Amino acid sequence: MLNRRGLLQTSLAAALAGCSTKPDSSFEPSPPLAPIRARADRIIDIAVCLRPFRPAGPRVETERLGNVLVVHNYGHGGSGWSLSWGSSARAVRLAMQASPADVAVIGCGALGLTSAILAQRAGARVTIYARDQLTETTSARATGEWTPDSRIALAHAAAANLGTVWEEMARTAFKAHRNYLGLPGTPVEWIDQYAVSDDTPRGTTGSNTGSNTGSNTGGSAAIPPVGFVSYARRIRDLTPNWRRVPADATPFKATSVSRGEIMVFNIADYGHTLMNDFFIAGGQFRRADFRTPAQIAALGKPVVINCTGFGARALWRDESLVPVRGQIARLIPQPEVRYGLVYRHVLTVPRRDGLVVQSFAGGENQGYGDINEAPDRAEAEQAVRTLAELFTKSA
Ligand SMILES: Cc1cc2nc3c(=O)[nH]c(=O)nc-3n(C[C@H](O)[C@H](O)[C@H](O)COP(=O)(O)OP(=O)(O)OC[C@H]3O[C@@H](n4cnc5c(N)ncnc54)[C@H](O)[C@@H]3O)c2cc1C
């Protein structure tokens, strides 16, 4: 069996090792797959953000600040959208222990918004205080896929019970995301994703002949391997398996093609829906840029949920937070393209607000410790060119 993370961190051939090299006999034909117009002049946005990564895993725990109960809810690495509802459910349980009438949430990203909505549902009046509104946050610059164990902790540093806690968060979040399926604007949807490879499947000739041969450290020889935890097996029952499909039943000229079904967050719509839900339930938003925890205590709220993402490094002096730089480019949306692709370490997700193109040439360690938020146009164009090569040879 193979999952998206396996596809991205290893070569396709390696990821499929152990699977049958024969196409699945129960293959269900695909609808016609519209070609992607992969041209650099169709790039409408290049966004960079820093994943808020903690080697020990996300911080979801309480701290006393004088009379104020602070509940931390930050440090979700590459999984913040995926785990949001589950992590926030834990945080809100801690926050509501004394049934406060008023709750302040610091931060308006995926974690802040889901915490705020869950605190409202638990009966509190909620004010969000944040430097940035959702559209300006890291959360707005994410890829938008269900990736609950992407860069969530380091194997040697993960908190002892993290696997169990993570599983609970992932299962809770998975159920909550389902509530947003089928809504106007399509905040959440399921799509097919194809992993297309030029490699000869291992077991056929025993060698990798294509260029899709990146390892966990990929092309970034300077980056030391960091050994992220991998928990996907714990929730294997939630999502369908990837299956090899006959390449000639798809438009792709390739040696091997596999297909999975993945949950996608259309971030513009999802964010808009969450903001609306928050305001409709009486929520208030205040712009605020806190320099010290004392300024937060001075708000006079008995309970504060701290969802400041990477901002917690400066605000809470949490030196354990490591930036993991990531970049996505968006092409003009193509509504007729309703499938995702992984090809030569380029990931494509057909979000409704733009066709996301992301390079994983450096493997999962790419961007580890890199705080540079300047967009790299050359990287984006190279990823688009890689896609273009696939569609040119498949035409
Ligand atoms: C390229 C890339 C792709 C990604 N793809 C995915 C994906 O497909 N799926 C997935 O699940 N996750 C993905 N992620 C990870 C995800 O984006 C993050 O885990 C998530 O956005 C973190 O959300 P957050 O709410 O904790 O932080 P943020 O979105 O950063 O929000 C933090 C909030 O706190 C506020 N704040 C911070 N400091 C202060 C302060 N001092 N005073 C006041 N306000 C403050 C900010 O203004 C902001 O409102 C990706 C990340 C990157 C970089």
Side-chain angles (χ1 to χ4, degrees), residues 15 41 60 116 181 202 248 252 260 278 299 319 379 387:
D41 62 349
V60 186
L181 288 168
R202 195 177 279 183
D248 57 6
F252 307 117
F278 172 67
L299 291 172
E319 300 289 328
E379 176 189 310
L387 257 189

Side-chain angles (χ1 to χ4, degrees), residues 4 49-52 73-83 106-112 129-133 137-147 265 288-291 307-312 315 324-328 358:
R4 170 192 177 266
C49 68
L50 307 179
R51 299 174 182 90
N73 188 19
Y74 66 84
H76 298 78
S79 306
W81 275 104
S82 305
L83 293 177
I106 315 297
C108 194
L111 276 301
Y129 298 85
R131 189 168 52 213
D132 310 292
Q133 295 223 25
T137 61
T138 295
S139 298
R141 286 173 260 156
T143 312
E145 284 194 340
W146 167 252
T147 56
F265 311 130
D289 187 356
F290 301 105
R291 299 300 155 113
C307 305
T308 45
F310 192 68
L315 179 59
V324 184
R325 182 187 187 279
Q327 169 170 301
I328 63 165
Q358 188 173 8

Side-chain angles (χ1 to χ4, degrees), residues 10-22:
T10 68
S11 72
L12 182 67
L16 285 168
C19 296
S20 165
T21 54
K22 290 190 188 130

